[in-house]
Amino acid sequence: MRTQVGIIGAGPAGLLLSRLLALRGIDSVVLENRSREYVEARIRAGILEQHTVDTLTDAGLGDRLRREGLEHRGIHLQHPGTRHTLDFPELCGRTVWVYGQTEVVKDLVAAQLAGGPPLLFEVSDVRPEDVDGDAPRIRFTDADGTPQVLECDVIAGTDGFHGVSRPVVTEAGGRLWERTYPYAWLGILADAAPATDELIYAWHPEGFALYSMRSPSVSRLYLQVDPADSIDNWSDDRIWDGLSRRLDIDGWTVSTGPVTEKSILPMRSFVSAPMRRGRLFLAGDAAHIVPPTGAKGLNLAVADVTLLATALTRLLREGRTDLVDAYSDTALRRVWRCTHFSWWMTSMLHTTGDDFDAELQLSQLRRVCSSEAAARELAENYTGLPIEG
Ligand code: APR
Ligand code: PHB
């Protein structure tokens, strides 16, 4: 087997990269170790920045998004007794969209299987090889158990945090930065109409809570919990009680309904640099993780592959190396901006049990809710800064 770009991992990063390359006449093959059902059922975050919506639309993936996605013009920031609205168009001229990453992945898989480049599910033993030369390859075992070799011009490692690509880059050198946070999120999906127009980010002495949504009849809500806690300790009643206390404001109530999914998600910041070794390029969660508080993970993956698609096209069509050589540094500037923003939102909103921390957080929240400059800084980052490159 031979292709121009061998792509490891069919998450949003790998699938979108394949699509963007195909639109520019570059071949690729996507190798995924899980099944289609598994990949399409994974529940992840649900906020798309304006540039993500534009990129998906330009790639011909905007139909269902525009039909079923919900455009949001701001967020509510809450601390006890106060619910303040940030109006994004007024502050920075942009909006965001609520459309689950699960739905983005379903749209990408459907487009790929309808005449797009090959997408192979349930492969195993995936190994990038000879990435320092001009003719790298990927060895893998296909779904029937037959060993295969995919010869490529370049390899994209879009295989997420636990993939095989990053170790190949880091064994040649580079640096990692990591921060684990002393809290986690308990997330639920509920068949309940959202009781709010915009997402609510709430600081509360008992811990952070977030009211998000997936559709006019499905809510997605989160509670800050201890990372060592078990989901078995959280009955649906206990979750709803916690949510209604932490989100409480006069004259308003959380709307409840059957909980269809619940789980506890760890929170970490992680950056690996460089995002390249020879002809192997990393993008998305394979190179960096942000805590979910600013909903940046998917958007950052889209920004990476937008840059990478342009750089690889220049390399493979014109033989010019300027953009692939700049890729890692250019991508990492956005990665660190989003890493900072996600850390800042996380640090402002999650209680630590320390009274001094709590007063600093409340002071910062009051500042964002009273100063247009402070609010604009949040709004510009939340809705997504323009992509460099
Ligand atoms: N071989 C093939 N595929 C692999 C391998 C492997 N060895 N290891 C992992 N994968 C697959 C995973 O099963 C997954 O489908 O790679 C894919 C990586 O996808 P994601 O983890 O979704 O990462 P990415 O595409 O970078 O998406 C960005 O944004 O909201 C955040 O973390 C969230 O996944 C999201 C991310
Ligand atoms: C979500 O809807 O899953 C979501 C929304 C906003 C966030 C994080 C997650 O900041």
Side-chain angles (χ1 to χ4, degrees):
M1 284 167 87
R2 206 205 120 70
T3 189
Q4 289 176 289
V5 184
I7 300 178
I8 306 175
L15 290 167
L16 181 60
L17 177 64
S18 177
R19 174 97 187 160
L20 295 176
L21 290 170
L23 292 169
R24 294 156 157 110
I26 306 283
D27 304 333
S28 62
V29 172
V30 184
L31 304 174
E32 165 61 47
N33 63 359
R34 302 286 192 159
S35 65
R36 177 179 182 181
E37 295 67 37
Y38 184 94
V39 167
E40 291 189 341
R42 257 187 315 225
I43 297 175
R44 295 267 177 83
I47 297 289
L48 308 185
E49 294 172 1
Q50 189 64 57
H51 81 81
T52 299
V53 172
D54 294 344
T55 304
L56 293 171
T57 305
D58 292 348
L61 296 156
D63 290 355
R64 201 161 67 92
L65 194 168
R66 302 264 167 194
R67 236 181 12 252
E68 298 176 18
L70 310 167
E71 187 175 21
H72 279 239
R73 300 171 54 84
I75 56 169
H76 300 299
L77 265 186
Q78 180 169 325
H79 51 93
T82 307
R83 183 174 290 175
H84 179 82
T85 307
L86 299 186
D87 181 322
F88 292 155
E90 206 170 84
L91 289 164
C92 66
R94 294 193 291 273
T95 61
V96 294
W97 288 65
V98 168
Y99 189 65
Q101 179 172 322
T102 314
E103 306 312 314
V104 173
V105 168
K106 283 186 202 156
D107 294 346
L108 283 161
V109 170
Q112 194 90 4
L113 296 179
L119 164 55
L120 281 59
F121 288 104
E122 297 181 74
V123 306
S124 50
D125 307 323
V126 176
R127 286 194 314 278
E129 282 185 3
D130 273 353
V131 300
D132 296 321
D134 283 345
R137 76 189 71 81
I138 305 174
R139 289 191 192 275
F140 65 98
T141 304
D142 69 19
D144 300 327
T146 311
Q148 301 281 359
V149 181
L150 177 62
E151 306 286 350
C152 325
D153 293 322
V154 299
I155 300 174
T158 51
D159 45 353
F161 187 63
H162 300 288
V164 293
S165 301
R166 189 179 63 254
V168 174
V169 175
T170 52
E171 77 188 13
R175 259 196 92 172
L176 305 176
W177 295 261
E178 181 159 24
R179 172 144 314 176
T180 47
Y181 297 90
Y183 21 77
W185 278 13
L186 186 162
I188 64 165
L189 269 179
D191 287 335
T196 177
D197 50 350
E198 303 296 6
L199 273 61
I200 306 167
Y201 289 80
W203 184 97
H204 188 274
E206 270 183 39
F208 171 68
L210 170 60
Y211 203 137
S212 181
M213 62 200 75
R214 285 292 176 274
S215 73
S217 57
V218 175
S219 297
R220 174 83 171 144
L221 300 113
Y222 298 96
L223 280 176
Q224 174 187 344
V225 297
D226 189 294
D229 210 339
S230 160
I231 196 70
D232 301 335
N233 296 331
W234 288 86
S235 65
D236 293 359
D237 285 347
R238 184 176 172 207
I239 294 171
W240 288 120
D241 283 351
L243 286 166
S244 52
R245 263 196 315 279
R246 296 186 197 184
L247 290 161
D248 182 50
I249 199 99
D250 274 354
W252 178 89
T253 42
V254 173
S255 50
T256 61
V259 173
T260 55
E261 199 269 345
K262 59 178 168 182
S263 57
I264 292 182
L265 332 162
M267 294 174 81
R268 66 156 68 84
S269 294
F270 175 89
V271 180
S272 175
M275 289 170 60
R276 171 196 191 179
R277 170 177 171 187
R279 292 220 162 203
L280 170 60
F281 296 85
L282 302 180
D285 277 18
H288 42 73
I289 298 281
V290 288
T293 323
K296 288 290 152 209
L298 168 63
N299 294 293
L300 204 44
V302 169
D304 285 352
V305 299
T306 304
L307 276 181
L308 188 55
T310 305
L312 293 180
T313 304
R314 177 106 108 189
L315 175 75
L316 297 173
R317 279 228 299 251
E318 300 170 40
R320 290 175 62 186
T321 57
D322 54 343
L323 295 185
V324 286
D325 289 344
Y327 168 70
S328 178
D329 287 348
T330 310
L332 282 164
R333 279 195 289 277
R334 188 181 189 86
V335 168
W336 278 113
R337 178 87 301 280
C338 292
T339 299
H340 176 268
F341 177 68
S342 306
W343 163 85
W344 176 78
M345 283 281 278
T346 301
S347 307
M348 176 170 70
L349 290 163
H350 293 73
T351 49
T352 62
D354 180 294
D355 290 347
F356 182 75
D357 287 346
E359 292 305 324
L360 292 180
Q361 291 169 333
L362 288 167
S363 172
Q364 179 70 69
L365 278 163
R366 285 192 299 268
R367 176 80 187 146
V368 173
C369 297
S370 60
S371 150
E372 192 173 315
R376 180 169 299 121
E377 176 61 9
L378 189 156
E380 286 186 355
N381 280 278
Y382 192 97
T383 57
L385 295 161
I387 295 186
E388 265 190 73

